[in-house]
Amino acid sequence: MLLARLARVSQEVAATSARSRKTALLAELFRDADADDVPIVIPYLAGRLPQGRLGIGWKLLSGPVPAAIEPSLTVRDVDARLTEVGAVTGAGSQAERRRLMDELRAAATEDEQRFLSGLLTGEVRQGALDAVAVEGLAEATGAPAADVRRAVMLAGSLQTVAQALLADGPGALDDFRLTVGRPVLPMLAHSATSVSEAVEKLGACAVEEKLDGIRVQLHRDGDDVRIYTRTLDDITDRLPELTSVAMELKGTRFILDGEVIALDEDGRPRSFQETAGRVGSRVDVATAARSVPVSPVFFDALSVDGRDLLDLPFAERHAELARLVPEPMRVRRALAHGPEDIPPARRFLAETLERGHEGVVVKALDAPYSAGRRGASWLKVKPVHTLDLVVLAAEWGHGRRTGKLSNLHLGARAADGSFAMLGKTFKGMTDAMLAWQTERLQELAVEDSGHVVTVRPELVVEIAYDGLQKSTRYPAGVTLRFARVVRYREDKTPAEADTVETLLAAHPEVAP
DNA sequence: TTCCGACAGTGGGGTCGCAAT
DNA sequence: ATTGCGACCCCACTATCGGAA
């Protein structure tokens, strides 16, 4: 298949907002694709590369290269050339990669160049990722969409399912079963604002500690242990202590779902930054493991002794987990049978926070494991802090926010009367707020670099955030975690905004 | 007709690894 | 040694489509 065809379809998909039309366009494309094209076409459409990380970013794509007039590149050509670029390492590699990329871009037409840049910098934005592609694939092959979706969850990737489907037809879906050693997309949680809201919604449920660590899926098949992240990357080599744990558990064939977290001597959680740094270290793992050991905490069992547990109710899966994993390695939990158990569930949340954890996840006891979905049967509850901060600047938005001032620079009052920047946020804004702030901030503008509009610090905005973390980037030495806009406070003056001092006092554990 | 679940988009900060400076 | 880039951890929230109620 020609890259030009892919680029054109991608543009057409982006141009329509109707999901049914997107699905139809993709179905048509899949019908025309060779089975060999599919492992490339599918990830390209979702803005991914089959090779995973290639080390090609905006820097390598900068500068104009004359475009070809006639399309000649096939998707397989492009894939092979990108593999070649990714394989270049060592001294002088930057220049060689540059040369190869310029060569590739010169072989592409203008439309193809645009698609390639989008692909390599993560800006495909056509309003169709894997979920829409699943629908398109079902339409193209006549397989039921639900069956395709399930096969994708179990295979952990759409492209392998697509390839099998297009080569062998709907019957190929039967080959995708839960397999120990092959990662499954993990189930995710929605948010709830309170424990009572979550319990009322779910009925009989477990209230479990939410640990601020790294999600892991642990597979053991005899002597073979594999560990995967939320995005199904294999991190087995980075967590030797988890492999030891897997070998000591009672069963010999299982898939468990859990979290790893670094704890201090008292069993209190270390900061997320420490856990993430540890899990991210892959060069000298032994040293990293000595200075920041991590502990696993499991909360679900997907497969035990060759039995697929995904469709069992959570209560039964947890019983299997309890058979395999001793108490200290299972997440702490409390059971709630209905609204009458809301008070003890609230106490459990309070105790969890007291122990230094993030919050709780409330899980319906009768729900199956919805792999790869943000199931409504898991609800997380975390405390929210708010602050009144001053807008110092704003950045021009991209994509659907083009022409709108989007990303706000936030400041708190410092001791000397100036404002100390604490971070940025683009979250929580409605379209109406975006329109309003674009107008208002331009009235307050003192400078526009084309990217950042600096304003007089006069506008107060209420910001919600999850906590404070250390920062080397911002002057106060701290930054807000997951900051989002709640509302503008036109009733407040900058002199009434919160101060750095009170913020640090509220979070003594991270104060510099 | 209204409601609601699922999805995509919009990017945030931090840390690590690697190559270049 | 330091800096810049890319990858990948964590993540909240809104808008929209289209099926369910």
Side-chain angles (χ1 to χ4, degrees), chain A residues 214 235 238-239 273-283 285 288:
Chain A
I214 305 287
I235 54 166
R238 294 186 232 166
L239 297 176
Q273 286 165 303
E274 288 175 281
T275 297
R278 159 60 211 282
V279 178
S281 303
R282 51 195 140 183
V283 171
V285 171

Side-chain angles (χ1 to χ4, degrees), chain A residues 204-468:
Chain A
C205 53
V207 183
E208 299 187 338
E209 274 183 342
K210 186 176 193 313
L211 306 175
D212 197 7
I214 305 287
R215 183 85 173 262
V216 288
Q217 196 174 93
L218 175 65
H219 292 239
R220 176 179 168 192
D221 186 357
D223 290 337
D224 192 20
V225 175
R226 299 273 104 193
I227 307 162
Y228 301 97
T229 64
R230 195 168 89 89
T231 48
L232 310 190
D233 286 310
D234 188 331
I235 54 166
T236 311
D237 296 340
R238 294 186 232 166
L239 297 176
E241 59 264 66
L242 192 46
T243 299
S244 311
V245 164
M247 295 308 291
E248 283 159 17
L249 294 179
K250 281 186 205 138
T252 58
R253 277 187 85 202
F254 52 74
I255 305 174
L256 303 181
D257 192 0
E259 192 96 0
V260 289
I261 186 167
L263 302 171
D264 65 18
E265 311 78 48
D266 308 325
R268 289 181 69 82
R270 298 222 221 171
S271 72
F272 173 74
Q273 286 165 303
E274 288 175 281
T275 297
R278 159 60 211 282
V279 178
S281 303
R282 51 195 140 183
V283 171
D284 188 357
V285 171
T287 305
R290 264 196 305 280
S291 62
V292 187
V294 292
S295 310
V297 184
F298 298 104
F299 46 71
D300 215 322
L302 313 192
S303 170
V304 173
D305 297 334
R307 265 207 317 143
D308 174 346
L309 309 180
L310 292 179
D311 292 324
L312 293 184
F314 180 43
E316 289 179 41
R317 298 200 308 277
H318 191 271
E320 289 294 320
L321 176 72
R323 231 165 38 80
L324 224 64
V325 180
E327 173 97 56
M329 273 191 275
R330 296 201 307 267
V331 75
R332 285 164 101 110
R333 66 203 304 248
L335 292 178
H337 301 94
E340 69 276 13
D341 288 330
I342 288 174
R346 280 201 183 120
R347 278 199 296 280
F348 182 80
L349 170 59
E351 290 159 15
T352 300
L353 296 174
E354 198 63 32
R355 281 196 295 273
H357 294 298
E358 234 193 323
V360 294
V361 184
V362 183
K363 300 177 176 175
L365 288 175
D366 60 358
Y369 191 90
S370 319
R373 323 213 80 175
R374 216 167 264 289
S377 47
W378 286 13
L379 297 171
K380 56 186 160 185
V381 180
K382 297 190 285 186
V384 175
H385 310 92
T386 61
L387 289 172
D388 292 322
L389 299 177
V390 177
V391 180
L392 306 177
E395 296 173 15
W396 290 107
H398 296 90
R400 68 184 298 281
R401 292 191 180 185
T402 301
K404 296 280 188 294
L405 282 172
S406 172
N407 202 3
L408 302 178
H409 295 199
L410 305 167
R413 278 162 57 215
D416 62 2
S418 70
F419 294 97
M421 185 167 169
L422 288 176
K424 309 180 190 180
T425 184
F426 54 88
K427 297 173 192 168
M429 299 153 188
T430 61
D431 286 3
M433 283 167 84
L434 281 166
W436 181 84
Q437 78 186 18
T438 301
E439 287 244 329
R440 188 76 185 90
L441 289 171
Q442 281 182 284
E443 289 165 14
L444 297 174
V446 293
E447 197 197 331
D448 184 350
S449 75
H451 172 53
V452 181
V453 175
T454 310
V455 300
R456 295 199 302 274
E458 293 179 9
L459 206 51
V460 178
V461 63
E462 185 179 343
I463 297 293
Y465 67 104
D466 278 21
L468 214 55

